[in-house]
Amino acid sequence: MFTYFYRIRDRYKRDVTSLAIFTDQDEKYHPDKYEYHCCGASVTYSFNTYKVKTQRVDVLEQSDNPFAVVILTILTALKQNEEGHDHLVESFLGLIRRLLNRQLPKHKIVRLVAFIKRYVHLGNSPLFNKFEEEIKLLTENPAYMGILEQVLQIDTEEAEKRGAISGRLIGIEEGKAQIVANLLVNSDFDIQTIASLTGESIDFIIEIKNKLP
């Protein structure tokens, strides 16, 4: 958190505040400061925190703030190991029903429904297909026309982004491997030197060397 703070402040020359949102299961884990001490010098950076696990469901359900839906979604997902998948799906569908009944702009509803869908980890199972069908039925109301299509469009765009990022990462790894391979074949450098020159680990260099013909 301290790193984000000083880099953002240094780059944009603006006042910065920080908020750490904890989405873990451990209610006792709640750090709110960073401390550094070295040879008489010290830094203490305190930041704002929000612990999802400790929030009250009844208060969130009554809130008109769209962010309350986000927190309820995370709280529901945290119960994934405590409750059966059938109950979990019903909980997510209940969130979507309440969301559709709120007087929110359609573009906000679309984004929140897409967010809820991302938290349903059921794989390609009949239960997930049922979840998708239920969303379709819920959004067939004329007042909600076009919501499902926009959510699906968001799903498609994000899948394409993930694919592009994955492809770039693979390309980066292939590029690193090619540089290491060229140094192994075309130079007299030993493994330690190549690791130092490329910034890669010795294990990575050895792995590439073992793959060479």
Side-chain angles (χ1 to χ4, degrees):
M1 186 63 71
F2 177 68
T3 303
Y4 296 144
F5 159 74
Y6 77 71
R7 287 185 177 177
I8 292 172
R9 193 172 189 276
D10 181 60
R11 177 171 180 177
Y12 295 103
K13 311 300 182 187
R14 303 288 296 274
D15 290 336
V16 178
T17 189
S18 303
L19 172 64
I21 301 177
F22 298 106
T23 61
D24 58 287
Q25 292 275 16
D26 187 354
E27 294 185 14
K28 296 181 180 179
Y29 179 75
H30 203 151
D32 61 358
K33 67 178 62 173
Y34 165 81
E35 294 183 327
Y36 175 80
H37 304 277
C38 180
C39 301
S42 64
V43 172
T44 300
Y45 177 67
S46 301
F47 47 87
N48 302 298
T49 63
Y50 187 91
K51 188 76 175 185
V52 173
K53 183 71 173 178
T54 61
Q55 302 307 307
R56 289 177 51 187
V57 173
D58 59 333
V59 174
L60 291 168
E61 289 177 342
Q62 295 171 12
S63 174
D64 294 327
N65 190 331
F67 188 69
V69 177
V70 174
I71 301 304
L72 282 168
T73 302
I74 299 171
L75 276 172
T76 302
L78 288 175
K79 298 178 181 178
Q80 189 152 357
N81 295 327
E82 304 171 8
E83 301 176 351
H85 282 163
D86 286 315
H87 189 278
L88 190 68
V89 167
E90 285 304 316
S91 297
F92 279 119
L93 288 172
L95 277 174
I96 293 175
R97 291 188 191 99
R98 286 195 293 272
L99 178 60
L100 293 175
N101 289 329
R102 294 187 177 187
Q103 299 299 315
L104 289 173
K106 185 176 287 187
H107 72 277
K108 289 188 177 180
I109 294 177
V110 168
R111 286 290 176 181
L112 289 169
V113 171
F115 179 82
I116 292 171
K117 281 188 64 182
R118 283 199 294 274
Y119 267 82
V120 182
H121 302 298
L122 299 172
N124 188 21
S125 66
L127 196 56
F128 181 74
N129 294 333
K130 175 188 174 183
F131 177 71
E132 294 274 274
E133 286 299 318
E134 289 291 336
I135 293 178
K136 185 176 180 181
L137 290 173
L138 288 172
T139 55
E140 282 182 348
N141 186 309
Y144 310 131
M145 290 296 290
I147 284 180
L148 181 60
E149 289 75 11
Q150 292 181 57
V151 170
L152 293 174
Q153 179 62 33
I154 290 173
D155 290 345
T156 300
E157 291 174 355
E158 291 186 348
E160 290 175 349
K161 288 179 182 177
R162 287 194 298 269
I165 291 171
S166 177
R168 286 198 295 271
L169 289 175
I170 291 172
I172 290 170
E173 288 302 313
E174 289 177 346
K176 291 179 179 177
Q178 187 60 56
I179 291 171
V180 170
N182 288 338
L183 288 171
L184 287 168
V185 173
N186 300 314
S187 76
D188 295 326
F189 296 138
D190 57 23
I191 291 175
Q192 181 68 54
T193 303
I194 293 175
S196 299
L197 289 171
T198 61
E200 303 297 332
S201 68
I202 291 177
D203 288 342
F204 182 76
I205 309 301
I206 293 174
E207 180 183 352
I208 300 303
K209 183 177 181 179
N210 291 337
K211 290 180 181 179
L212 293 175

